[in-house]
């Protein structure tokens, strides 16, 4: 049976992609679509909005109006909106797939604490390729150990509002965990001026923003005489949307708890 899905942020860049990806999935069906109350798209047909032709799902302004008719909510909006939607999903016992990035540490903790009452999947990046990269990064860091300097580069389109990307941070966390380091203590977000020589433990991040870059990530392990790069380049948001729909179908009916894309893909 297909999982019944609600998409919040339906008129956003990812929202439209998600509506299209659901229409192509045999594991999921779109039964609700939600936008911010100020959106001019309230009352529009979600299929038409995504350029697919009418599908009969009308965009509403409040998730609580449609939660009875869904199994899983896919939320790619903004941190405050995602937190409010998580509270509703817990109340109605619906699974939640979170794609939103840019949470403050406190907001992330609040969201994670809801796993007691809520089947919650969070991934900074829902593409299958990036999740395979995360696994490779853990393995590479475990083998290479402290001898290699680790630096992370990421590039995104000019509209992205948070930096570094959630994916770059997830990559940093995968490496730091594997090396027994705390990313919050060793991360360096950009360098300028008289920085001094590189501190061995640090994991540096470099951010580029511009044009229509969907998402480039590269993690470099550098030693004297050699360099390894584990890179991923997304050329379409469809890579994220397909993965999130796969996660949403897998999450329907899961018990309360905290899941990520590696659980969905069986990589954990
Ligand atoms: P966007 O600005 O195009 O879309 C966000 C949409 O959410 C907008 O249409 C906005 O009106 C809507 N929204 C905001 N508050 C709302 C509310 N309270 N209720 C309903 N809708 C609300 O942004 P985007 O490019 O689609 O990205 C959205 C988020 O997803 C960002 O945090 C981005 O970093 C993240 N993202 C994650 C992945 C991943 O794989 N995890 C991939 C791409 C983007």
């Amino acid at each position: 049976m297909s999982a019944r899905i609600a998409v919040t942020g339906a008129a956003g860049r990812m929202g439209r992609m998600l509506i299209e990806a659901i229409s192509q999935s045999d594991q999921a069906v779109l039964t609700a679509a939600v936008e911010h109350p100020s959106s001019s798209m309230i009352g529009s047909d979600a299929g038409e909005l995504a350029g697919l032709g009418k599908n009969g799902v009308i965009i509403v302004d409040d998730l609580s109006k449609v939660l009875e008719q869904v199994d899983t909510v896919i939320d790619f909006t903004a941190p405050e909106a995602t937190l409010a939607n998580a509270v509703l999903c817990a109340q109605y016992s619906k699974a939640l797939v979170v794609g939103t990035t840019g949470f403050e540490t406190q907001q992330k903790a609040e969201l994670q604490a809801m796993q007691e009452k809520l089947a919650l999947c969070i991934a900074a990046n829902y593409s299958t390729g990036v999740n395979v990269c995360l696994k490779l990064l853990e393995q590479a860091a475990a083998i290479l150990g402290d001898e290699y300097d680790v630096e992370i580069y990421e590039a995104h389109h000019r509209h992205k509002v948070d930096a570094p990307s959630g994916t770059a941070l997830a990559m940093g966390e995968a490496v730091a965990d594997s090396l027994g380091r705390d990313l919050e203590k060793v991360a360096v977000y950009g360098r300028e001026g008289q920085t001094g020589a590189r501190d061995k433990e640090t994991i540096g991040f470099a951010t580029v923003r511009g044009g229509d870059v969907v998402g480039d990530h590269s993690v470099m392990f550098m030693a004297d005489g050699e360099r390894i790069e584990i890179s991923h380049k997304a050329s379409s948001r469809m890579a994220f949307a397909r993965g999130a729909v796969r996660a949403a179908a897998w999450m329907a009916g899961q018990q309360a708890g905290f899941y990520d894309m590696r659980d969905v893909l069986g990589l954990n």
Side-chain angles (χ1 to χ4, degrees), residues 19-20 23 30 44-57:
I19 293 166
E20 187 177 346
S23 77
L30 184 78
S44 312
D45 183 281
E48 212 162 47
L49 174 77
L52 307 169
K54 279 194 165 65
N55 64 8
V57 177

Side-chain angles (χ1 to χ4, degrees), residues 4 114 139-140 167 171 227:
R4 300 170 306 158
M114 289 196 214
Q139 291 172 340
T167 304
M171 289 177 159
R227 177 165 90 223

Side-chain angles (χ1 to χ4, degrees), residues 8-15 34-37 39 61 75-79 81 85 98-102 123-127 157 160 162 167 237 240:
T8 51
R13 283 177 288 265
M14 279 305 299
V34 186
E35 248 303 332
H36 192 275
S39 169
D61 62 357
D75 185 292
F76 283 64
T77 55
N85 288 337
V98 173
T100 306
T101 63
N125 191 310
Y126 279 93
S127 91
H157 52 89
K160 186 160 178 64
D162 53 314
T167 304
R237 287 185 179 82
F240 313 131

Side-chain angles (χ1 to χ4, degrees), residues 1 16 38 55 61 63 67-68 72-73 75 92 98 103 115 123 126 131 139 150 154 160 164 169 175 196 232 255 258:
M1 211 177 72
R16 292 168 202 239
S38 67
N55 64 8
D61 62 357
L63 182 60
L67 266 175
E68 296 286 5
T72 308
V73 174
D75 185 292
Y92 284 76
V98 173
F103 292 97
Q115 64 184 280
Y126 279 93
N131 286 281
Q139 291 172 340
V150 183
E154 61 104 339
K160 186 160 178 64
L169 291 169
V175 172
H232 180 270
Q255 302 211 321
F258 187 72

Side-chain angles (χ1 to χ4, degrees), residues 150-213:
V150 183
E151 296 277 315
I152 301 175
Y153 158 90
E154 61 104 339
H156 280 87
H157 52 89
R158 61 169 77 93
H159 305 290
K160 186 160 178 64
V161 295
D162 53 314
S165 70
T167 304
L169 291 169
M171 289 177 159
E173 266 160 22
V175 172
D177 287 352
S178 204
L179 292 172
R181 299 179 199 166
D182 177 354
L183 186 65
E184 288 211 1
K185 294 201 178 114
V186 300
V188 174
Y189 299 112
R191 297 184 177 94
E192 191 192 18
Q194 293 296 312
T195 60
R198 187 182 192 283
D199 185 349
K200 190 127 204 62
E201 293 260 287
T202 55
I203 296 178
F205 290 80
T207 294
V208 167
R209 291 286 175 266
D212 62 355
V213 180

